[in-house]
Amino acid sequence: MTSDSENSSIKRKNKAGDRVESFLITPIQRLPRYEMLLSQSLKYTNKGNPDFELLTKAHKLAKEVNKKNNDSMGKYISSKRKIGLNEICSKYINLMLSHRLLIAEIKDLFILDFEKKERKSCFVSVFTDCLVIFLTGKHGNKDEYYTHLLFNELSYAISVDKMKYYDHIFKVICMDTSVTLMAPDDQSKDKALKQITD
């Protein structure tokens, strides 16, 4: 139930051209505030107070609801991203298989092509059973599919020693295929290796 002041506020905002979605999200945005309010209330309530037990239960429930909302939002965002990536590479690999979950995206990498003696800016999408490499679009160009590797029990990723012209290098090996990637620094390389191997 909304008050007259809330209704007039909604009407004012709606006249300004806000979309319905912005009003629908408002109750969801209030949930974390309730969790914080209950947390603060617990901080200043004695354990002997008859309301302490109810505040504790309410706080626990608010945390659970917020966690479920965050998990659902994460899954929604991940599925939207997966759809976008699939539009780029559907000719080569189907990312929409139900078992194929997007685990991580690793940005600001380079794919090294030693035969052509070049490096290309890329990002890597790590899925439960594969790794997909996309060339990063520059100057308004769209990202492009480059290649993918299907994981199996023999797949692995390893750090590679510094080479004459390249540093922060690692290699991903799957079956009979491998790719060599370069990160901007050792910390990024270590993080990328962890995301791929976990």
Side-chain angles (χ1 to χ4, degrees), residues 101-113:
L101 305 175
L102 178 60
I103 297 170
E105 282 199 284
I106 308 165
K107 304 209 181 269
D108 302 322
L109 296 175
F110 293 95
I111 181 100
L112 302 179
D113 186 336

Side-chain angles (χ1 to χ4, degrees), residues 9-196:
S9 172
I10 289 171
K11 286 177 185 172
R12 264 195 317 278
K13 286 181 181 176
N14 204 15
K15 286 180 185 173
D18 283 349
R19 297 176 60 188
V20 172
E21 290 89 354
S22 64
F23 298 114
L24 296 175
I25 195 71
T26 302
I28 303 302
Q29 291 171 334
R30 289 184 184 150
L31 292 173
R33 293 182 201 147
Y34 292 138
E35 182 182 340
M36 289 188 313
L37 174 67
L38 291 164
S39 178
Q40 290 296 311
S41 298
L42 272 171
K43 214 185 259 188
Y44 298 105
T45 304
N46 290 328
K47 290 185 179 181
N49 188 312
D51 293 331
F52 186 81
E53 189 179 330
L54 291 173
L55 282 171
T56 302
K57 286 179 182 178
H59 181 251
K60 182 181 175 188
L61 182 62
K63 278 179 87 166
E64 289 171 4
V65 167
N66 284 328
K67 183 177 179 344
K68 284 183 182 176
N69 283 341
N70 287 339
D71 291 348
S72 293
M73 185 57 78
K75 286 177 184 173
Y76 172 76
I77 291 168
S78 179
S79 68
K80 292 275 287 186
R81 181 64 180 151
K82 188 173 152 179
I83 291 167
L85 293 172
N86 194 62
E87 288 174 2
I88 299 169
C89 67
S90 61
K91 285 192 270 185
Y92 310 100
I93 184 169
N94 180 5
L95 299 179
M96 300 312 294
L97 299 175
S98 61
H99 72 276
R100 192 165 279 161
L101 305 175
L102 178 60
I103 297 170
E105 282 199 284
I106 308 165
K107 304 209 181 269
D108 302 322
L109 296 175
F110 293 95
I111 181 100
L112 302 179
D113 186 336
F114 295 111
E115 288 179 17
K116 294 181 181 178
K117 296 183 180 171
E118 65 183 11
R119 67 181 194 171
K120 296 179 180 179
S121 179
C122 71
F123 67 93
V124 172
S125 295
V126 182
F127 291 84
T128 47
D129 67 336
C130 66
L131 179 130
V132 186
I133 300 170
F134 297 90
L135 298 180
T136 307
K138 298 221 185 261
H139 312 295
N141 293 329
K142 293 181 180 180
D143 299 331
E144 300 174 36
Y145 168 84
Y146 184 78
T147 192
H148 69 275
L149 304 169
L150 295 175
F151 294 140
N152 70 3
E153 58 278 351
L154 302 175
S155 301
Y156 61 98
I158 57 167
S159 181
V160 175
D161 292 335
K162 180 178 178 178
M163 298 173 136
K164 187 173 181 180
Y165 299 106
Y166 302 113
D167 202 0
H168 323 297
I169 305 165
F170 62 99
K171 198 170 202 169
V172 182
I173 300 153
C174 299
M175 295 187 222
D176 58 348
T177 310
S178 69
V179 292
T180 305
L181 297 159
M182 184 173 80
D185 53 53
D186 278 333
Q187 185 179 0
S188 299
K189 177 179 83 170
D190 293 342
K191 184 179 177 185
L193 281 168
K194 183 170 176 27
Q195 289 176 307
I196 292 168

